Amino acid sequence: MLYESYIHPITILSTIPSAGVGALLALLLTHNELNVIGMIGIILLIGLVKKNAIMMIDVALEVERTQASNLPKPSTKRACCVFVPS
């Protein structure tokens, strides 16, 4: 098992519907139609959201293992790494 727990893959998979719904709402609010370009954009967005969720959980688990700390601090550290590139 990759993450040593069943909750982590479920967490990663739970981000996918919110990305799709957000993209469809953005299309609806901007009065754009769902065409081939929009579908490609939604697929790319879902891929990026999935990759980000995998990376955040992976870094959080690694920091938790090495520093023996609780989960909110490593996930905050990962979020800072994503938004503030070094």
Side-chain angles (χ1 to χ4, degrees):
M1 180 176 270
L2 183 63
Y3 291 109
E4 302 164 358
S5 173
Y6 287 113
I7 193 70
H8 299 303
I10 292 171
T11 306
I12 292 168
L13 290 174
S14 69
T15 62
I16 294 173
S18 62
V21 169
L24 290 174
L25 283 175
L27 284 173
L28 185 70
L29 290 174
T30 58
H31 302 293
N32 288 324
E33 57 187 40
L34 182 63
N35 52 17
V36 175
I37 302 299
M39 288 183 195
I40 292 171
I42 290 173
I43 291 170
L44 289 173
L45 177 67
I46 288 172
L48 286 172
V49 167
K50 180 183 61 81
K51 180 182 177 185
N52 187 34
I54 290 171
M55 289 179 66
M56 286 186 77
I57 288 178
D58 192 34
V59 170
L61 289 174
E62 181 181 333
V63 169
E64 186 178 32
R65 286 183 197 127
T66 58
Q67 296 180 0
S69 62
N70 56 0
L71 189 59
K73 289 183 182 179
S75 61
T76 306
K77 181 178 179 181
R78 174 60 190 150
C80 291
C81 292
V82 170
F83 293 121
V84 183
S86 55

